[in-house]
Amino acid sequence: MRQDTKFTNQNFRVIGSRVNRPDGMDKVTGRARYGADYDAPGQLVGLFLRSPHAHARIVSMDISRAEKLAGVKAIITADDLPDLTNGNREMLDILENSMARGRALYDGHAVAAVAASDVKTARKALKLIKVEYEQLPHVTDVDEAMQPDAPVIHDWIFTQGVNPTPKKPSNVCNRTEMGHGDVDAGFARAAHIIEKSYKTEQTHQGYIEPHACVASMGPDGSGELWVTTQGHFAYRNVCAELLGLDIAKLKVTSSEIGGGFGGKTHVWAEPIALALSRKANRPVKVVMTRDEVFRATGPASSTSIDVKIGVTKKGRIIAASAELRYADGAFPGPWAILGAMTSFACYDLKNVKTVGYDVICNRPKVAAYRAPSAPMAAFAIESTVDLAAAAVGMDAVDFRIKNAAKKGTLSSYGVTYGPIGIGPTLDAAKNHPHMKAKLKKNQGRGMACGFWFNFGGQTCSTINIAADGTVNLSVGTIDVGGSRASLSLIAAEELGIPYEHVKASVADTASLGHNDMTDGSRGTFSSGMATIVAARRAIEVMKERAAAMWDIPVDKVDWKDGHAVAKGKKNSKLAPLSLKEIAENSPNTGGPIAGHNEFVADGAGVSFASHLCDVEVDPETGATRIVRYTVIQDAGKAIHPDYVEGQFQGGAAQGIGWALNEEYIYGEDGRLQNPGFLDYRIPVCSDLPFIDTQILEIPNPDHPYGVRGVGETSIVPPLAAIGNAISNAVGLRMTHVPMSPPRILAALEAGE
Amino acid sequence: MSTSTVSTTINGDAVQFACPTDESLLDAIRNRVGLTGVKEGCGTGDCGACSITMDGRLVCSCLVLGVEANGRAIETVEGMADGDQLHPLQEKFIEHAALQCGICTPGFLIAARVLLERNPDPTEKEIRYALAGNLCRCTGYDKIVRAVQAAAKEMRKASKKRTRK
Amino acid sequence: MRYETPETTRDAAALLAAEKGEAYILAGGTDLLVRMKAGLLEPDLLVDIKQVPAMNGIQQTAAGFRIGAAVPAVELGEHRALGRTWPGVVEAAKLIGSDQVQGRCTIAGNLCNASPAADTVPALMAAGAKAVVVGPERRRTVPVEKLPRGPGTMALAKSEVVEAILLPQRPAKSGDAYLRFIPRTEMDIAVVGAAVNLTLERGVVKTARIALGAVAPTAVLVPRAARAIIGTRLDDAALEKMAAACSAACNPIDDKRGTIAYRVKVAGVLARRAACIAYERAGGKR
């Protein structure tokens, strides 16, 4: 069947309404089960031994005393994990990140794991494992790691993307270049050139739920994994490959997820939990501590970025370039590439060039974090854009309006835009009441724009019509922010039934075909499309059943408002059949009624936002308070406006934390000094004002309802919006994130 | 004597459990009593996901030993609803979309209930400071504060009605 | 691990004295349990003092206030007379951690942890508070500033227990205030803390005590800063002199919470602001 997923303008019945979420009741009563809330009979406790060193060779490891301890059922080290990856270095990196192979590459890198009958025994066993380390020189700073005399962390890394490939290994794993036109020629014609360098520190996704799973495997190669994840199919495939299992024999069930923001798109302890279970032939439960979460999972890159922007007298950007250096942690990733792609995506530029360097250092392997890599690039670019506007004496919003990308713009990353929302968000910003609010002493207003691609990807959904006309919707994308509500709305809309008649569930990996992860803001976009098509297919089946019940040809049956309707004069006496009536009769008309859709969701719509922010800076302490904050973003179509607003507000709050206080602090010894919520300071309730939102709806032409992803763009502008606001409050250009009180006070004092 | 038998009251029910003396009340409630609505986000009192009340006082159950619960009265999120009647805070959290992932929700509900018992008409600032010990990473707190305001309003209305009667 | 719940202070002290292994007092447990969880401590004995009557409750006496060592911070906030008399001490107690933490933590515990950044310690020092210390043999009353020796160490014998904190009665026209700087609005450990306690006579500062936290190995009294405002109406010049004395008294470290330069500067700023609040609370008008 052909899938028509093009946008068609329509009047919606339930889409856009603010219904109660289906998982709300379980979540307010404590019944919802998260990663750590599941137990298997006879389960063991799994704990990890982690490296206290930033970089060390594991000279020897003696597990014999731990093995002999009563209650210890299995110990796993790298020796138990043969390389089955067939030369796939990326997969081997994942395995090596789960368990060090001869070398510990960062503080917190797992070196051994124990499964024991209880926590106390497991803890005792960890203490009995004797590891002899030879400490190696380490490097944790991105710029230092690029120096020629820096300790080279992997001897197999030869910079890709330069010609010829270097003969010597280094920490620079990749160089990426993006752009078009001739920047040198552009700069030569510029009336003003602004050049500035920036640094941003490493941040963590900071989900409140630590990683947790229960793994259960037998020696027959079959197993189950209950786990908190953003992608249970991906976890299944990766674990199966690393452990040499048949994919279909590993069943992964996703628990409720207590926040992920990209950090639960990657496996960490899960392959090891399975290996422990297989070795012990008992279920094993692993729950990370917060300390482990900070030291060994997540973080986003720390960065160092140079920006150069040339403008004409009239305020047109004539050339723009940036060099972006992203720390990937202990293993290569695509992080600088994403930074280089997103840098100038908001603007219509004739001459643009970005160069990204992905750099290895002795920090945890970097993971996706909400619009990964874009916030840091936006901080550097949007700060410089404000400087460029000032250089030509233009208002920051007007300057951006003048230079904004639009339909037909060749983007800096090579795509030509369709209809996009950057212009409309800027117009909305200009006219927003926020712009007219009075500012008090030491207060300043800033703004910034942000962009994110949004993803599609492999997706499938199934609709099963129950005998009473209620509907099960099974999806394969994890619900991280309310997608069961939005997808139920979509099913109800298509089928013409009340929202309350739909029950959406996230199916386990044995019950549905492969789904890519909930990442790239794809959940409602991709599963929404799959649901629309699945529903339309179920309707086709129901039309056939109605035709059978009426004994008329199926082409004489229409579907309208949840009913089969007989067409033509001849059939005018046939009363419409409701979905419920058709369902009730299904045992006699061909059995259960279902609709499926398995496909690759193409055509994710790019999303833009403009943020406005007022801050107050205490000039004597350097403390910054967010006085007012407004998010304006293009959602394409807001299926459930509450949860679209929730995404806007949550992203902004994370960006505010990133801008002001959050950072990984490493000591000279390369050890993380603040692996806890006490000193890794995410915003608390009293730190923030209400966060105003304005949803714009510029339909995505490649989605039936016009949906774009909404989850990520909101974290992109805050760093720069706050930096620009601070600049306007106290006349300081902060170039180092977080813009913490000591940094601001030091800058103020230096300025004086 | 490294294990202790503890007799306590949880959500009005008499409960007995045995636990090692150094086990946290959080672990005891979750693993021995089976009330997993009490969540662990940090284990160090920094996130509030494990908030409960003990003899009416708001505490982090990760910062209490299981043995300390002996003879005390404990309330968890599982005890908030009155039969099939949700607490107004629970209702308003659903209505106002004050939860996304929901892992912090039980702690917020307990902390907000203690606030409203003490102060039925809190200002926005009072709400924000009273809830500062509960971390939420999804919502930016906006809808949580609005839900608490709405619940407070409804509870004030209900208590006026009661006093009129 | 043994867990004991003695009913007298002397019994608590005797338990500590008799224990050969590692023994700790459990009051609120908000620091102790965190360190146990991290594996930094593995006590052989915990002595829970919350069932000792003499360590519970806040009493108002002719001499002032007696705050039992097991009284959680939240109870300080609920005690009206205490809040009226010693608002600075109470606001310091109300700054520790969250409401949840304040439901457990005690000011005696805050003192005995001997953290240089403890919020209530500068406020207690400025207030001239004393600690009632009980050992198996004798009890003594010690000014609070005599107890912390350095980070994590106290001038207490192994078997000595703090039973209560005493706050003096105070003359009319007195006020105290505590301010701390943290990067967020709540939940952080003080980067700098400043407490000011003063008494006025016709608008002139007659007596003053000023203490700082998180700027030296222990919280410190700064007599020079107090002298800078005694005899003044807290004019700008006096405040500047006081702030400078505070900054000069700092001997901080660079760490994940703040830099040396930052702490030195902000100590003066906070002391100045706290002094103005204390002055106003004492009925003074600048």
Side-chain angles (χ1 to χ4, degrees):
Chain A
M1 192 187 295
R2 201 182 65 86
Q3 291 189 17
D4 187 7
T5 50
K6 290 286 168 221
F7 172 71
T8 47
N9 203 4
Q10 54 180 311
N11 287 323
F12 291 110
R13 193 171 48 82
V14 292
I15 295 294
S17 61
R18 297 174 187 256
V19 292
N20 287 347
R21 61 191 295 154
D23 49 326
M25 184 66 70
D26 280 350
K27 286 181 173 173
V28 301
T29 54
R31 280 201 292 268
R33 293 215 288 175
Y34 294 81
D37 299 339
Y38 178 82
D39 292 306
Q43 81 189 9
L44 304 170
V45 174
L47 291 183
F48 283 74
L49 186 66
R50 297 183 180 277
S51 166
H53 304 299
H55 192 193
R57 191 167 71 85
I58 299 167
V59 179
S60 67
M61 196 176 330
D62 180 3
I63 60 168
S64 57
R65 285 181 66 209
E67 272 180 321
K68 283 183 202 125
L69 184 69
V72 171
K73 306 295 180 187
I75 297 178
I76 293 284
T77 70
D79 293 344
D80 300 281
L81 301 164
D83 176 6
L84 306 173
T85 61
N86 281 326
N88 181 341
R89 185 65 234 190
E90 218 174 299
M91 289 303 290
L92 184 57
D93 288 348
I94 295 172
L95 183 67
E96 188 171 354
N97 191 44
S98 296
M99 185 66 71
R101 302 176 80 77
R103 255 184 332 140
L105 297 168
Y106 53 90
D107 168 37
H109 197 173
V111 297
V114 168
S117 49
D118 58 52
V119 181
K120 280 202 163 168
T121 309
R123 274 199 201 127
K124 218 181 269 176
L126 291 185
K127 284 194 177 160
L128 292 174
I129 297 175
K130 288 289 162 251
V131 188
E132 190 191 332
Y133 293 102
E134 178 201 341
Q135 284 197 59
L136 302 171
H138 68 270
V139 60
T140 54
D141 178 81
V142 62
D143 289 325
E144 284 172 25
M146 289 180 79
Q147 295 302 311
D149 58 346
V152 174
I153 296 166
H154 295 300
D155 60 10
W156 49 267
I157 285 183
F158 301 86
T159 310
Q160 300 298 296
V162 290
N163 206 0
T165 304
K167 297 224 160 43
K168 263 178 62 184
S170 76
N171 294 324
V172 181
C173 45
N174 195 36
R175 179 191 185 275
T176 318
E177 190 175 319
M178 296 274 159
H180 55 254
D182 182 342
V183 286
D184 291 333
F187 285 124
R189 285 166 47 212
H192 304 272
I193 292 175
I194 293 91
E195 281 184 272
K196 204 90 188 158
S197 295
Y198 303 86
K199 269 196 112 133
T200 70
E201 294 300 328
Q202 185 153 41
T203 52
H204 194 277
Q205 295 79 352
Y207 32 82
I208 308 299
E209 180 200 29
H211 300 265
C213 67
V214 177
S216 181
M217 274 207 70
D220 63 349
S222 280
E224 291 194 29
L225 184 69
W226 163 277
V227 63
T228 174
T229 171
Q230 289 174 251
H232 47 326
F233 292 94
Y235 272 37
R236 174 183 70 164
N237 296 1
V238 169
C239 289
E241 182 171 346
L242 296 182
L243 298 173
L245 311 173
D246 295 332
I247 289 177
K249 290 184 189 159
L250 179 60
K251 176 176 147 186
V252 182
T253 306
S254 61
S255 68
E256 288 293 343
I257 178 172
F261 316 109
K264 290 174 184 164
T265 59
H266 312 250
V267 301
W268 311 98
E270 293 79 12
I272 309 304
L274 283 162
L276 283 168
S277 173
R278 180 166 63 180
K279 195 166 174 182
N281 198 13
R282 295 262 295 268
V284 174
K285 182 169 180 172
V286 171
V287 182
M288 281 195 183
T289 62
R290 180 55 52 183
D291 174 274
E292 288 179 292
V293 171
F294 274 113
R295 285 167 72 208
T297 76
S301 299
S302 54
T303 71
S304 167
I305 301 170
D306 307 323
V307 183
K308 186 174 175 185
I309 290 179
V311 279
T312 65
K313 265 189 226 143
K314 289 185 172 164
R316 196 73 177 91
I317 300 176
I318 192 164
S321 70
E323 185 180 294
L324 308 100
R325 300 166 293 271
Y326 279 55
D328 289 1
F331 299 97
W335 311 118
I337 302 171
L338 292 170
M341 288 173 82
T342 58
S343 291
F344 290 105
C346 292
Y347 299 104
D348 182 20
L349 303 172
K350 290 262 177 322
N351 306 298
V352 57
K353 177 178 158 183
T354 56
V355 177
Y357 292 98
D358 276 294
V359 183
I360 301 296
C361 66
N362 294 109
R363 294 186 183 221
K365 182 177 194 278
V366 163
Y369 178 19
R370 201 171 200 155
S373 301
M376 310 79 138
F379 171 66
I381 274 69
E382 288 292 287
S383 294
T384 315
V385 166
D386 253 34
L387 291 171
V392 290
M394 275 181 80
D395 169 77
V397 181
D398 291 337
F399 182 80
R400 285 175 172 86
I401 289 173
K402 184 159 192 161
N403 288 287
K406 50 195 171 290
K407 188 175 175 182
T409 293
L410 172 61
S411 73
S412 54
Y413 65 96
V415 160
T416 300
Y417 290 132
I420 55 170
I422 180 67
T425 66
L426 282 164
D427 293 339
K430 194 174 164 65
N431 297 316
H432 199 281
H434 186 153
M435 279 300 201
K436 293 184 190 79
K438 281 238 157 54
L439 291 169
K440 295 181 186 150
K441 200 181 163 200
N442 295 325
Q443 294 187 346
R445 176 166 300 143
M447 69 90 52
C449 299
F451 157 88
W452 186 246
F453 310 93
N454 299 326
F455 299 171
Q458 298 184 76
T459 314
C460 51
S461 294
T462 287
I463 278 178
N464 284 299
I465 315 275
D468 62 354
T470 57
V471 170
N472 279 117
L473 169 63
S474 300
V475 299
T477 48
I478 306 296
D479 179 355
V480 295
S483 61
R484 275 168 294 188
S486 59
L487 297 174
S488 296
L489 281 169
I490 288 171
E493 184 73 40
E494 286 295 323
L495 295 170
I497 57 174
Y499 163 78
E500 292 75 19
H501 286 193
V502 182
K503 178 74 184 172
S505 313
V506 179
D508 63 56
T509 59
S511 309
L512 204 62
H514 176 87
N515 277 263
D516 288 343
M517 296 176 288
T518 299
D519 66 351
S521 300
R522 70 179 286 275
T524 296
F525 168 76
S526 304
S527 280
M529 260 211 275
T531 300
I532 290 168
V533 176
R536 289 176 183 174
R537 287 180 178 169
I539 287 169
E540 291 307 313
V541 176
M542 287 188 282
K543 280 158 70 177
E544 285 166 21
R545 302 300 178 85
M549 286 165 73
W550 282 323
D551 198 18
I552 61 172
V554 69
D555 62 6
K556 294 287 175 207
V557 182
D558 241 352
W559 189 264
K560 226 182 145 190
D561 299 332
H563 290 75
V565 184
K567 285 195 285 192
K569 262 195 193 141
K570 215 169 111 189
N571 301 323
S572 62
K573 288 206 177 120
L574 296 171
L577 283 167
S578 70
L579 181 146
K580 184 177 173 173
E581 288 166 310
I582 298 167
E584 281 169 349
N585 276 287
S586 62
N588 311 318
T589 58
I593 299 168
H596 304 269
N597 184 31
E598 293 85 18
F599 77 135
V600 176
D602 283 329
V606 295
S607 150
F608 291 90
S610 293
H611 287 199
L612 303 174
C613 172
D614 296 353
V615 301
E616 182 173 310
V617 179
D618 181 338
E620 289 189 315
T621 64
T624 300
R625 183 169 68 90
I626 306 295
V627 178
R628 184 168 181 169
Y629 205 98
T630 303
V631 176
I632 303 160
Q633 187 177 319
D634 173 19
K637 174 70 199 171
I639 302 295
H640 192 309
D642 275 347
Y643 293 103
V644 173
E645 291 163 4
Q647 290 298 318
F648 290 7
Q649 292 163 338
Q654 285 182 319
I656 290 168
W658 196 332
L660 294 180
N661 284 309
E662 293 179 34
E663 64 176 312
Y664 268 39
I665 302 169
Y666 279 91
E668 288 290 314
D669 57 2
R671 297 184 66 177
L672 184 59
Q673 298 194 344
N674 59 335
F677 279 138
L678 181 63
D679 287 305
Y680 181 86
R681 306 178 186 100
I682 77 173
V684 299
C685 194
S686 46
D687 290 343
L688 300 176
F690 284 123
I691 296 169
D692 290 339
T693 57
Q694 186 177 348
I695 303 172
L696 303 186
E697 295 185 329
I698 294 119
N700 170 9
D702 293 318
H703 186 284
Y705 298 172
V707 169
R708 298 172 191 269
V710 298
E712 290 169 288
T713 310
S714 52
I715 201 176
V716 181
L719 283 62
I722 292 167
N724 290 338
I726 290 171
S727 169
N728 293 331
V730 289
L732 271 184
R733 174 53 57 185
M734 295 302 293
T735 57
H736 193 167
V737 160
M739 296 169 275
S740 60
R743 283 201 186 106
I744 288 182
L745 193 64
L748 279 169
E749 304 235 299
E752 280 166 12
Chain B
M1 201 185 58
S2 61
T3 299
S4 214
T5 305
V6 177
S7 297
T8 184
T9 305
I10 303 185
N11 302 325
D13 297 334
V15 172
Q16 270 206 350
F17 58 84
C19 74
T21 48
D22 58 357
E23 182 169 292
S24 71
L25 180 56
L26 167 62
D27 285 345
I29 292 175
R30 284 179 56 84
N31 302 334
R32 301 186 193 277
V33 185
L35 295 178
T36 54
V38 187
K39 303 299 181 191
E40 174 163 350
C42 67
T44 51
D46 299 313
C47 79
C50 67
S51 296
I52 59 164
T53 62
M54 190 158 75
D55 290 347
R57 286 261 186 249
L58 178 67
V59 297
C60 287
S61 58
C62 71
L63 294 184
V64 180
L65 292 176
V67 288
E68 291 185 78
N70 202 36
R72 306 295 200 96
I74 286 162
E75 296 278 336
T76 72
V77 71
E78 285 94 340
M80 265 186 89
D82 180 8
D84 65 357
Q85 184 60 51
L86 290 185
H87 188 282
L89 278 162
Q90 292 174 308
E91 275 177 358
K92 295 300 170 191
F93 265 59
I94 297 177
E95 254 174 55
H96 286 258
L99 54 105
Q100 284 178 34
C101 84
I103 193 90
C104 68
T105 306
F108 268 99
L109 288 169
I110 293 286
R113 189 180 69 174
V114 171
L115 165 69
L116 296 185
E117 282 165 2
R118 206 177 59 212
N119 180 358
D121 193 7
T123 62
E124 181 204 335
K125 192 173 174 186
E126 285 169 336
I127 294 172
R128 288 189 180 276
Y129 275 85
L131 299 179
N134 294 80
L135 297 181
C136 170
R137 193 60 158 170
C138 294
T139 64
Y141 304 104
D142 186 292
K143 293 181 191 299
I144 292 176
V145 175
R146 291 181 199 280
V148 174
Q149 287 176 325
K153 196 169 166 191
E154 184 156 310
M155 287 165 73
R156 287 198 302 275
K157 241 195 273 168
S159 97
K160 250 190 215 158
K161 251 188 219 161
R162 268 199 305 278
T163 42
R164 259 192 240 127
K165 277 178 196 166
Chain C
M1 186 192 82
R2 252 183 346 131
Y3 169 79
E4 297 285 354
T5 53
E7 289 178 8
T8 68
T9 311
R10 216 159 265 261
D11 287 352
L15 282 164
L16 292 181
E19 176 60 41
K20 294 216 167 52
E22 271 193 65
Y24 294 91
I25 293 282
L26 171 65
T30 50
D31 282 287
L32 186 68
L33 266 57
V34 172
R35 280 187 273 165
M36 282 167 62
K37 167 131 186 153
L40 301 172
L41 299 180
E42 284 180 53
D44 298 292
L45 169 68
L46 280 195
V47 179
D48 184 343
I49 56 169
K50 290 191 286 296
Q51 294 180 30
V52 178
M55 300 213 198
N56 278 292
I58 301 172
Q59 278 99 39
Q60 192 169 7
T61 66
F65 294 88
R66 184 185 189 282
I67 302 163
V71 172
V74 63
E75 282 187 34
L76 272 67
E78 290 164 355
H79 199 286
R80 293 220 171 150
L82 181 68
R84 270 198 308 271
T85 315
W86 291 106
V89 172
V90 172
E91 73 196 351
K94 295 283 289 168
L95 284 175
I96 305 173
S98 56
D99 282 9
Q100 283 88 333
V101 170
Q102 287 158 29
R104 293 274 294 168
C105 71
T106 65
I107 58 170
N110 203 218
L111 171 66
C112 291
N113 270 318
S115 160
D119 281 310
T120 58
V121 178
L124 290 172
M125 285 182 177
K130 295 184 168 71
V132 179
V133 177
V134 178
E137 305 300 323
R138 66 181 187 122
R139 64 169 52 223
R140 56 192 178 113
T141 301
V142 193
V144 160
E145 60 270 22
K146 301 277 187 216
L147 286 175
R149 278 272 173 78
T153 59
M154 289 285 284
L156 286 175
K158 182 194 162 199
S159 57
E160 280 188 317
V161 183
V162 172
E163 183 184 68
I165 302 289
L166 306 178
L167 282 167
Q169 199 49 272
R170 60 193 333 204
K173 299 280 175 195
S174 297
D176 72 330
Y178 173 75
L179 290 176
R180 66 163 183 198
F181 183 81
I182 54 172
R184 292 182 291 186
T185 51
E186 282 277 20
M187 297 305 288
D188 295 332
I189 304 287
V191 180
V192 180
V196 176
N197 172 31
L198 47 76
T199 300
L200 304 183
E201 202 174 81
R202 287 189 216 92
V204 175
V205 178
K206 194 175 146 202
T207 63
R209 284 167 71 91
I210 294 172
L212 299 174
V215 295
T218 67
V220 286
L221 273 173
V222 191
R224 261 187 64 198
R227 284 199 297 276
I229 58 168
I230 289 173
T232 75
R233 289 177 181 276
L234 219 60
D235 52 276
D236 289 348
L239 282 172
E240 276 320 306
K241 210 171 147 196
M242 181 207 66
C246 284
S247 293
C250 293
N251 175 26
I253 53 168
D254 274 326
D255 69 4
K256 60 191 169 190
R257 293 176 187 144
T259 59
I260 291 170
Y262 186 78
R263 287 184 159 114
V264 168
K265 163 92 204 256
V266 174
V269 171
L270 291 191
R272 183 155 43 71
R273 291 177 183 181
C276 292
I277 297 169
Y279 189 78
E280 217 166 274
R281 283 176 178 167
K285 286 199 182 70
R286 288 186 65 235

